[in-house]
Amino acid sequence: MPLAGQLSSSLLAFILPVSLIAFWQLSGTNGVIFGGALPTPDRVWTAWVNWAFGTPTFGLNPYVGTWLQNVIFSAERVAKGFLVAIATGVPLGIAIGWSRLFAKLVDPTIQWLRPVPITAWLPISIAIFGIRDFGAIFLITLGAFYPIVINATQGARAVDKNWIRAAQMMGASQAATLWRVVLPAAMPSIFTGLRIGLGIGWTAVIVAEMVAVKSGLGYVLWDAYYVGRMDIVLADMVSIGLLGYLSDRLIVALSGWLLTWHRLQSFNQ
Amino acid sequence: MGTVEFAGVSKTFGGKTVVQALAEVDLRIGEGEFVALLGPSGCGKSTLLNILAGFEQLTSGSVRFDSRAISNPGPDRGVVFQEASLLPWLTVWDNVVFGPKVQGVARSIYEPKAEAILKIVGLEGFKKALPVQLSGGMRQRVGIARVLVMEPRALLMDEPFGALDAQTRLSMQQLLLDVWQKLKTTVLFVTHDIDEAILLADRVCVMSARPGRISREIPITLPRPRSIDDLTNPAFIQFKAAIMTEMRGAHGAH
């Protein structure tokens, strides 16, 4: 696509959000639609700037200069929970996809547990881990685990039979076949699972922080609501969305770099 | 080295309808012999190759490779697949050195071999390319190279040129003739292309279907070295006529 075309197509993406924000601003200012319950975008922006860059004082206002700190709290929890989910979900999924015995042994249990929403795990998580980081990380891991394990299973099952035959013919052991053929072949599917899992991880961290921990964007969200700071609530929501979007872009970039072969293949077909 | 002996090999595929793919097949392949299995699709020729490769188990009978029973696939029997079946995430170079690498061969030993073989198949300039960036013929050159680098005692080729266009197929046949005439490895070559079978093989085994069995073995006495120019040779045409008659007969009987 020529540069001008690229530019105009990326401009297209902004039409809808810009119109929505403009509509929100105008209707809010005139008090027509939201009846004054929601602050307008300009007030949200001011609140965010203060939250992010204001100098913290010894006063009671927790919404000055604490944004980055809370972002780091939440992001760190998501990262930890997500990494544990990858470390458990990928090997387990590959094993289920590779071995019929293992599938029969483990897969039904996963399928029975999966319909229990992560929110339903909250009380148990608090009972076991208390109001601490572990509870939040547990929920994130659990939420991200299911899509990762299912997609890894799917990927391992869909490996071209002749790739495995070829590897064995070339003298690859069972372990080498898993590591050098099944895992790379399952990668595109695994990355699908990672993207979905990471999204659920962000949902989980907000829920957990609302209830089970006393810091992070989820905690601020609920706390600000209680004290009637809807401008902070909205700024918080936008921050969560932005972080979720950026972390997803990171995964997409990583997959683009790792899975060049797969991308080229899809383009060729 | 590289002798093959199928004795009374039968293979039945279970399932809803039981299919007898092979019935009492006997076939011996001598050291350094090039044997082509020729037949229509569904005659069990690929099944026979897969059993020798160790990919499939036989139902009854026995298969021996260098007098030993076959249990698993292994680098002593290099298989060239119809669609090359390269590992698409590996470069040409990594595909070619995959075998020696997983077998724990020292880099100093396999690297010069791989270099030499890539030169023979004319891909020395494509080491860093991914399979998806190559044409079908080039991909199959890699498929052959990754097997040759292991120096197998037998080459098992399952319609390796079946998916290529006519011109590429000719150049691949010439390449295989050149390589084989130097190496003299035992080859079992599965094809449904009569010309290809005659051009390449010392012996053509015509197979018939349902149940799959070898209906006739025809020694091809055309002198070596051969080239694709032999395709229009009168002696070649005679072999072709004989095989066509045989195939028509085999087909009519079922």
Side-chain angles (χ1 to χ4, degrees):
Chain A
M1 211 186 299
L3 189 63
Q6 262 176 4
L7 203 67
S8 68
S9 85
S10 59
L11 280 177
L12 284 178
F14 288 96
I15 295 177
L16 204 55
V18 167
S19 327
L20 282 173
I21 290 171
F23 172 72
W24 170 17
Q25 177 74 39
L26 291 172
S27 58
T29 321
N30 301 322
V32 183
I33 302 226
F34 299 118
L38 288 187
T40 49
D42 61 323
R43 283 182 48 210
V44 172
W45 173 255
T46 315
W48 180 77
V49 169
N50 200 27
W51 183 23
F53 305 111
T55 316
T57 53
F58 289 106
L60 288 170
N61 192 343
Y63 307 126
V64 180
T66 60
W67 180 79
L68 187 62
Q69 197 188 338
N70 283 299
V71 164
I72 290 171
F73 275 133
S74 296
E76 202 178 312
R77 284 176 192 130
V78 170
K80 282 179 184 165
F82 187 54
L83 287 177
V84 177
I86 294 174
T88 51
V90 171
L92 204 62
I94 297 281
I96 294 170
W98 177 247
S99 150
R100 236 174 256 178
L101 177 72
F102 205 78
K104 281 181 185 153
L105 202 66
V106 181
D107 198 39
T109 311
I110 293 178
Q111 299 310 325
W112 290 328
L113 284 173
R114 193 160 68 97
V116 181
I118 45 164
T119 40
W121 285 89
L122 261 171
I124 285 215
S125 158
I126 296 173
I128 296 174
F129 301 108
I131 304 290
R132 275 185 297 150
D133 258 13
F134 266 155
I137 292 168
F138 169 73
L139 284 187
I140 295 159
T141 301
L142 197 66
F145 172 78
Y146 294 120
I148 291 175
V149 78
I150 286 167
N151 281 283
T153 302
Q154 185 55 37
R157 275 193 187 141
V159 178
D160 189 326
K161 186 175 68 183
N162 279 345
W163 293 346
I164 292 168
R165 285 181 164 181
Q168 290 174 340
M169 171 274 290
M170 289 187 279
S173 62
Q174 177 104 324
T177 307
L178 273 172
W179 181 248
R180 290 172 184 271
V181 180
V182 180
L183 183 66
M187 265 308 167
S189 182
I190 288 172
F191 264 98
T192 306
L194 295 189
R195 287 185 72 184
I196 302 170
L198 187 58
I200 296 178
W202 279 105
T203 309
V205 78
I206 299 307
V207 172
E209 285 171 350
M210 280 171 149
V211 183
V213 214
K214 295 273 169 243
S215 61
L217 290 173
Y219 172 72
V220 171
L221 187 75
W222 204 237
D223 193 59
Y225 166 71
Y226 262 123
V227 300
R229 285 293 302 272
M230 293 311 282
D231 50 349
I232 292 293
V233 168
L234 282 158
D236 194 303
M237 284 170 67
V238 174
S239 308
I240 295 164
L242 203 65
L243 287 174
Y245 177 77
L246 290 177
S247 56
D248 182 60
R249 287 293 99 189
L250 206 66
I251 299 264
V252 171
L254 191 67
S255 84
W257 176 63
L258 276 174
L259 303 179
T260 312
W261 64 274
H262 189 249
R263 195 162 34 92
L264 290 174
Q265 221 162 30
S266 334
F267 279 172
N268 272 24
Q269 277 160 5
Chain B
M1 295 294 267
T3 58
V4 177
E5 189 178 353
F6 291 93
V9 170
S10 297
K11 171 76 180 175
T12 340
F13 287 105
K16 275 179 188 162
T17 49
V18 175
V19 180
Q20 182 158 31
L22 295 171
E24 297 283 324
V25 174
D26 295 306
L27 175 63
R28 299 174 70 111
I29 307 175
E31 180 178 344
E33 195 181 8
F34 197 128
V35 169
L37 287 177
L38 176 69
S41 50
C43 72
K45 54 194 193 298
S46 291
T47 307
L48 202 59
L49 181 140
N50 283 339
I51 289 172
L52 179 56
F55 296 151
E56 282 174 29
Q57 304 300 316
L58 38 70
T59 313
S60 65
S62 75
V63 187
R64 295 186 161 268
F65 181 61
D66 284 337
S67 309
R68 293 165 72 172
I70 285 161
S71 50
N72 291 308
D76 52 348
R77 285 149 290 142
V79 180
V80 179
F81 298 82
Q82 182 175 6
E83 305 282 353
S85 291
L86 305 177
L87 301 177
W89 51 89
L90 297 181
T91 60
V92 166
W93 175 258
D94 287 330
N95 266 289
V96 171
V97 300
F98 184 95
K101 220 172 180 173
V102 294
Q103 291 166 45
V105 176
R107 179 182 287 239
S108 57
I109 293 175
Y110 70 68
E111 272 193 345
K113 274 187 201 164
E115 296 274 3
I117 285 162
L118 276 176
K119 198 166 274 177
I120 290 171
V121 299
L123 285 175
E124 68 268 43
F126 293 89
K127 280 181 209 162
K128 287 183 178 165
L130 288 167
V132 68
Q133 295 164 318
L134 305 178
S135 68
M138 289 161 90
R139 247 176 267 170
Q140 200 53 285
R141 284 164 195 261
V142 181
I144 292 170
R146 75 170 173 186
V147 166
L148 291 182
V149 79
M150 303 189 300
E151 297 174 347
R153 301 204 298 276
L155 277 177
L156 316 184
M157 309 184 83
D158 189 2
E159 300 194 36
F161 311 142
L164 306 176
D165 62 80
Q167 207 167 338
T168 309
R169 192 180 312 152
L170 280 177
S171 72
M172 293 298 289
Q173 287 163 349
Q174 186 65 60
L175 174 77
L176 181 60
L177 279 174
D178 295 342
V179 170
W180 182 79
Q181 271 147 189
K182 260 177 249 158
L183 298 178
K184 292 284 183 186
T185 316
T186 305
V187 180
L188 181 64
F189 192 101
V190 165
T191 182
H192 57 246
D193 180 335
I194 300 176
D195 284 3
E196 184 169 76
I198 301 168
L199 176 66
L200 299 172
D202 295 320
R203 185 154 47 110
V204 175
C205 298
V206 180
M207 289 188 73
S208 58
R210 282 174 291 273
R213 50 189 185 75
I214 293 171
S215 57
R216 206 172 147 206
E217 295 189 17
I218 299 164
I220 307 296
T221 49
L222 293 171
R224 305 260 184 194
R226 298 181 198 159
S227 82
I228 50 173
D229 297 331
D230 287 313
L231 287 168
T232 48
N233 183 324
F236 186 98
I237 307 292
Q238 277 180 2
F239 281 113
K240 189 169 176 178
I243 288 173
M244 283 176 79
T245 312
E246 173 60 35
M247 287 184 90
R248 221 174 279 133
H251 192 72
H254 289 271

